[in-house]
Amino acid sequence: MENSKIIVVLVAAGLLATGCGSSDAEDGAGGAAQKALPVAIDGPQKDVVPQRETGEKLKITPLPAMNAPFVEKVEHNLRQAVLRSARVPGETSAKCPDGVDEKAGAVSQCVATYEGAEIPYEVKISDSAKKGSSLIFFDTTPKKGLLVAKAVYDSLNESYGSESGRTDASKLACEEMPAAKAVPLGKDTGFTCQYWTKFANQGEPGYATLRLKMGAQGYGLGFEPVE
């Protein structure tokens, strides 16, 4: 039984310091930039499934047979977990190269892939599991985070786009990102996005820059202001 959680964490951006000048000029102060990033975000991204609908719309079929080996059920669970984490339909696979130890409290190592990005998982059997039981509970914990470009662009639009209710943000854009990439947990991904605001520099207009950081549990990306 799947017991992992998928949470999208969006960090609200603060006001950033930028300099005045032409749209092509860059100002290193506070990490703000006057140059537009290459990928313009003008609305919701095609194929991205809202988080609340992933359970219904992103399903790996067929389900393993009731009498299928336990390892096959775990691998199916991992494919399902990584797909719902991605929020975008794509090719998945999963493998537990040394099998799955079914003893109570046992920990096994597996890998799930989404569009070629490999996410290692730790699979832990419930401490209360009983040998020979027909129902074994387990937890799956990702050891890396999954960055999906379309999902990032869509989340930026949700947080700062015209439908977000914000009146201080426009001209959303991001760096070009890979379709899917495994990234370290709880760290800066190395990618940035931005939005145009009238209040970037003490009331003067400019781009506010957002750093993209993977959540510590691998369940979501956060936008952090570059100060």
Side-chain angles (χ1 to χ4, degrees), residues 9-208:
V9 179
L10 300 178
V11 179
L15 303 182
L16 307 179
T18 66
C20 301
S22 69
S23 60
D24 292 328
E26 293 188 0
D27 180 0
Q34 293 298 321
K35 184 176 181 179
L37 294 175
V39 181
I41 312 300
D42 57 5
Q45 299 296 292
K46 183 180 178 181
D47 298 329
V48 178
V49 177
Q51 189 67 46
R52 63 184 178 277
E53 299 177 13
T54 56
E56 175 186 351
K57 294 185 177 181
L58 295 178
K59 295 181 179 180
I60 300 295
T61 55
L63 292 171
M66 289 294 292
N67 61 348
F70 182 65
V71 66
E72 290 185 15
K73 297 177 181 180
V74 171
E75 289 170 351
H76 180 274
N77 178 283
L78 292 175
R79 290 179 63 199
Q80 187 68 79
V82 78
L83 180 61
R84 289 174 178 169
S85 176
R87 295 179 55 212
V88 180
E91 184 175 349
T92 66
S93 65
K95 186 68 176 178
C96 301
D98 298 320
V100 176
D101 189 337
E102 300 178 37
K103 293 193 297 290
V107 175
S108 302
Q109 305 301 321
C110 303
V111 177
T113 67
Y114 171 82
E115 290 296 316
E118 296 186 350
I119 307 298
Y121 276 83
E122 183 176 272
V123 177
K124 183 181 184 298
I125 303 300
S126 170
D127 291 332
S128 60
K130 296 181 180 180
K131 186 175 181 181
S133 173
S134 60
L135 185 62
I136 301 177
F137 293 88
F138 58 95
D139 292 324
T140 59
T141 303
K143 309 310 289 182
K144 286 189 177 182
L146 177 62
L147 181 152
V148 177
K150 283 186 177 182
V152 172
Y153 302 155
D154 192 74
S155 291
L156 181 69
N157 178 70
E158 285 185 351
S159 298
Y160 297 93
S162 59
E163 298 176 4
S164 69
R166 295 186 62 139
T167 59
D168 63 326
S170 62
K171 300 180 183 178
L172 312 184
C174 290
E175 291 183 84
E176 189 169 354
M177 303 178 193
K181 181 180 180 179
V183 296
L185 299 176
K187 295 185 178 181
D188 186 349
T189 65
F191 295 102
T192 59
C193 295
Q194 66 183 187
Y195 64 92
W196 183 267
T197 173
K198 295 179 180 178
F199 314 110
N201 180 27
Q202 298 180 353
E204 295 298 323
Y207 282 112

